Amino acid sequence: MGVHEASAATPPDAAPGAVPGAPPPPPPDRRRTGWAVAAGALALLLVLAALSLSIGAGEVGPGRVLDYLLNRDGARADSRLALVVGDLRLPRTVTALLVGAALGVAGAQLQSVTRNPLAETGLLGVNAGASLGVVLAVAVLGVQTSYGYLAFAFGGAVLASVLVLLVAGSRGGGSPIRLVLGGSAVAAVFRGLTDVLVVNSPEAYERYRVWVLGSLAGVEGWTTLRQLAPVLALGFLFALLTTRPLTALALGDDLARGLGHRPGATRAAVALGVTLLTASAVALAGPVAFLGLLSGFLARTVAGPRIGQLTLLAALFGAAVLTGSDVLARVVARPFEAPVSVIVALIGAPALIAIVRSRRSAALALTDPAADAPPPARRPEPPAAKPDSALRYGAWSLLVPRRALLASLGLAAVLLAAVVVSAHAGQSELDLGRTFQAVFGYGDRLDVLLVQKFRLGRIVAGLAAGAALGLAGCLTQTLARNRLATPELLGVNDGATAAVLISAGTAGTFGAWWAGPLGALVAVLVVTLASGGLGARGLRVLVVGLAMSALASSVIQVAMARRSLNSAGSLYVWTSGSLNGRDYEIATPVLVGLAVLVPLALVAARRLAVLRFDDSVAASLGVDPGRVRLACLLLSVALAGLAVGVCGPVGFVALAAPVIAGRLAGPARVPVVGSALTGALLVVVADTVGRVLIGGVEIPVGIVTTVLGGPFLLWVLLGRRGRDSVA
């Protein structure tokens, strides 16, 4: 996910006695507004809690619930009433309140410590660790009790957060960007390991696909809540104790140290508190995604930079949203229950988009600061290792970037070798020499049939999808000037995946290939329109992209949960990114698309390189920034959508390919061709590794790239050059 650190604002007129560099306190009207909103949220919360106690199975209305609570006429002696209210509804309501408050506080704390309004609890790898713990318990140890799920979910969540803290602080203290990137990398590895276990265990997948939707339906009695209440209390205590240090940390590390605080210790304490709160919430209700982001975002709109009021409002908003979603989950699909995480996404995504579109978004650092400040000074680039050469023929001349050309030729040679090795993998009767001949149609007819008919079709599909993903990532990263900016940020991958699943209907296994680009286009159109159009809009497009991804992910989860186990298992492999069953026919649309879109991308790249400078500089050079952004965005959407339609959402290729190609081609070029070749190489190599790593078991290509992508993310982006590119 794209990450930007927002620097603390410096007031033009400091109040007497104020700390230099500190943001001005909000005016009294703003403070009163915050407390008024808190009072209103508390009142709404009480109403929602009453509804939660009054709605559900058992035909027990509000009057009888009130009788039980007040013990009027000995109502608590009624065994049926005690079962419905005392053992089911009351524990469920209290759990919803505490889990919602915990996720809200965790989201607000994480956003504050990373100085990033897009941060959410999944960034610390907590959800991924909990998922891995549950899958290990089911697939490896055969655990079948809810208490066992709880224990392993909590243990996995804590383990993930400890690893993130160790990674983030490995070089003398974890900065906000290191904390976020470390969490993203650890989460990616844990998700990949989870997928490895799930795709090879139908029983584990059956339990996992229900648990991952998130639900409060399994809350019965007070046992589970009583066990985790001390952990929740400790997490809330950490949040309370870190309020003042976080306020100082917002001024910058140097000023925080001058005020007697220790930034590294503060971040570690916040991470520990967030871990305790989120791990408990996941253990109680499953991974309810998006709620931490939404609650912190809404609270920041009202409270601004005041950490104490922000934390309180986030707790109230989180509790209200989850309790209200749980009530709706019981009534929208009676007599069944809808997944609560889907309801949260359906409620939260439009609310988040409305906030982004409002005038309050300026208070959240969602506008582009470049409009009001001069662009930062660019560091001088090191001289290219190989100068460009000019080819002339009469009045025509062509400038050939020698280093980029040599890099592309080298990548093409390595790619050819990878194709031969992939065609050879699994064919013990053929040596590499015979395989190489068979690739080009020479040698024994049986060898040629075996390689070209049954192996190369899959390889060609991987080449086409990888090239499309690499090129799409190159365009979006250059467009956003951010190495973390990939098509996933705009909801492209999730939109394309949801469209393919919807087009599959109920009987078929896979949908039509054209549904991928269509879904990607719909997703990006919604994001563009909801965010107010293209252009330099800071984090606004990214926020709407996250909301779109949450909605599309909900559609994917529901579609998977409603299918039979066999159908859902096959589709789950595809949604992890797989080339199984892919052939020439499926690869043809992507190849045709590449033949059309690569030349267009080469033309756009020349103008896109100019956008590395300020928009005013680009305009003075005759480049229209708006048109270039639109063209590049449409190109990347089409490419990513085609790739998803072929092999599903293969992760990290769009991130890694442009980074590797850029290192090879040099900083002065937009590595369009190199990114396409690198993407194709990564997919082919990952598919080969997935086929030969475990004998008799095939690991989907998307799982291999996810497991290997986490360490790659750390290696590339946590170095000095990587930090400069995402700051």
Side-chain angles (χ1 to χ4, degrees):
M1 168 172 101
V3 181
H4 298 266
E5 291 183 3
S7 60
T10 301
D13 299 315
V19 178
D29 290 344
R30 179 82 175 263
R31 294 183 183 181
R32 286 196 292 268
T33 300
W35 292 118
V37 171
L42 182 59
L44 175 62
L45 196 58
L46 294 175
V47 173
L48 291 173
L51 287 175
S52 180
L53 290 173
S54 304
I55 296 176
E59 300 180 357
V60 175
R64 293 294 291 161
V65 171
L66 189 59
D67 289 341
Y68 177 84
L69 294 177
L70 299 178
N71 197 23
R72 291 190 300 206
D73 300 326
R76 294 182 185 175
D78 188 333
S79 59
R80 180 174 176 274
L81 188 61
L83 173 64
V84 172
V85 179
D87 292 338
L88 296 179
R89 293 187 189 176
L90 191 57
R92 179 169 181 164
T93 300
V94 174
T95 301
L97 294 173
L98 290 176
V99 168
L103 292 175
V105 170
Q109 291 262 298
L110 192 57
Q111 290 171 19
S112 298
V113 77
T114 59
R115 298 194 289 273
N116 179 4
L118 301 185
E120 55 100 21
T121 51
L123 286 178
L124 281 184
V126 176
N127 290 353
S131 299
L132 179 59
V134 170
V135 171
L136 278 173
V138 174
V140 178
L141 302 177
V143 176
Q144 297 183 358
T145 64
S146 58
Y147 179 74
Y149 295 166
L150 185 151
F152 278 89
F154 187 83
V158 172
L159 175 62
S161 294
V162 169
L163 290 177
V164 171
L165 290 176
L166 291 176
V167 169
S170 59
R171 295 183 185 176
S175 66
I177 192 67
R178 290 179 64 84
L179 192 66
V180 170
L181 293 179
S184 300
V186 172
V189 174
F190 276 30
R191 283 196 299 268
L193 295 176
T194 300
D195 289 338
V196 170
L197 295 173
V198 167
V199 298
N200 294 300
S201 174
E203 180 185 357
Y205 174 68
E206 174 65 16
R207 296 178 182 274
Y208 172 76
R209 68 169 177 162
V210 176
W211 176 83
V212 78
L213 290 174
S215 176
L216 292 164
V219 177
E220 298 180 2
W222 299 95
T223 302
T224 303
L225 186 59
R226 190 181 299 115
Q227 292 167 345
L228 287 178
V231 183
L232 283 170
L234 188 59
F236 285 123
L237 179 61
F238 269 101
L240 179 63
L241 294 178
T242 54
T243 298
R244 289 177 61 85
L246 269 180
T247 304
L249 199 62
L251 310 177
D253 286 8
D254 292 336
L255 282 175
R257 291 189 188 96
L259 294 173
H261 298 284
R262 299 171 59 187
T266 299
R267 293 190 180 102
V270 170
L272 180 57
V274 168
T275 298
L276 295 175
L277 292 172
T278 310
S280 302
V282 171
L284 286 168
V288 181
F290 194 62
L291 184 56
L293 169 67
L294 174 65
S295 303
F297 210 92
L298 293 175
R300 193 174 300 276
T301 326
V302 178
R306 293 180 61 84
I307 302 299
Q309 196 175 78
L310 169 68
T311 304
L312 174 62
L313 286 171
L316 293 174
F317 288 153
V321 171
L322 187 59
T323 305
S325 299
D326 186 46
V327 171
L328 290 176
R330 300 180 221 173
V331 300
V332 295
R334 279 188 172 182
F336 305 102
E337 283 197 19
V340 68
S341 61
V342 175
I343 304 297
V344 169
L346 292 176
I347 294 175
L352 191 58
I353 292 174
I355 291 294
V356 171
R357 295 280 295 169
S358 71
R359 296 180 181 178
R360 286 292 185 91
S361 63
L364 303 175
L366 295 178
T367 54
D368 185 19
D372 302 317
R378 294 178 56 85
R379 296 182 178 180
E381 301 287 359
K386 297 289 185 180
D388 293 347
S389 302
L391 301 179
R392 293 181 175 89
Y393 180 78
W396 299 90
S397 64
L398 176 65
L399 188 64
V400 179
R402 189 180 300 180
R403 176 174 172 177
L405 178 60
L406 292 176
S408 297
L409 292 176
L411 285 170
V414 175
L415 182 59
L416 177 60
V419 168
V420 174
V421 172
S422 182
H424 170 73
Q427 304 296 332
S428 57
E429 299 84 359
L430 298 179
D431 55 28
L432 281 176
R434 291 169 59 188
T435 303
F436 185 82
Q437 292 179 345
V439 167
F440 293 96
Y442 298 104
D444 186 86
R445 293 181 59 185
L446 184 60
D447 293 349
V448 173
L449 177 66
L450 188 64
V451 171
Q452 291 194 349
K453 177 67 176 178
F454 298 104
R455 308 292 295 185
L456 280 186
R458 173 176 182 150
I459 294 173
V460 169
L463 291 172
L469 287 172
L471 183 53
C474 175
L475 293 175
T476 54
Q477 288 182 16
T478 308
L479 185 65
R481 307 189 196 102
N482 187 334
R483 288 186 180 181
L484 293 177
T486 59
E488 292 93 330
L489 285 177
L490 298 177
V492 170
N493 282 9
D494 287 327
T497 304
V500 172
L501 288 179
I502 292 174
S503 69
T506 57
T509 302
F510 297 102
W513 66 266
W514 49 261
L518 183 61
L521 180 61
V522 170
V524 81
L525 285 177
V526 171
V527 170
T528 302
L529 294 176
S531 60
L534 294 172
R537 296 184 176 272
L539 300 179
R540 178 182 289 188
V541 175
L542 301 183
V543 174
V544 180
L546 287 175
M548 182 66 206
S549 293
L551 288 173
S553 296
S554 299
V555 174
I556 294 171
Q557 291 171 357
V558 172
M560 299 288 287
R562 288 180 175 271
R563 290 179 177 270
S564 65
L565 180 59
N566 290 335
S567 176
S570 300
L571 287 175
Y572 183 80
V573 172
W574 177 81
T575 57
S576 299
S578 175
L579 289 172
N580 188 25
R582 310 293 92 177
D583 53 20
Y584 293 110
E585 182 180 356
I586 296 175
T588 299
V590 187
L591 293 173
V592 173
L594 287 173
V596 175
L597 298 177
V598 168
L600 294 177
L602 289 171
V603 174
R606 299 185 61 184
R607 293 169 174 78
L608 189 60
V610 180
L611 293 188
R612 292 177 172 180
F613 303 97
D614 187 63
D615 282 3
S616 58
V617 176
S620 67
L621 295 175
V623 175
D624 186 341
R627 290 185 178 180
V628 173
R629 289 191 180 96
L630 177 61
C632 292
L633 181 62
L634 292 178
L635 285 172
S636 63
V637 166
L639 290 165
L642 284 170
V644 172
V646 169
C647 61
V650 177
F652 276 99
V653 173
L655 168 69
V659 175
I660 297 174
R663 292 282 180 92
L664 296 175
R669 299 288 171 183
V670 178
V672 173
V673 176
S675 297
L677 291 173
T678 306
L681 176 63
L682 291 176
V683 171
V684 171
V685 170
D687 183 53
T688 305
V689 171
R691 286 190 282 116
V692 303
L693 185 62
I694 302 176
V697 176
E698 178 176 326
I699 303 175
V701 59
I703 296 177
V704 177
T705 58
T706 299
V707 172
L708 299 180
F712 175 83
L713 179 67
L714 290 174
W715 176 67
V716 172
L717 299 176
L718 290 184
R720 182 177 58 83
R721 293 177 60 184
R723 289 197 303 270
D724 293 341
S725 68
V726 297

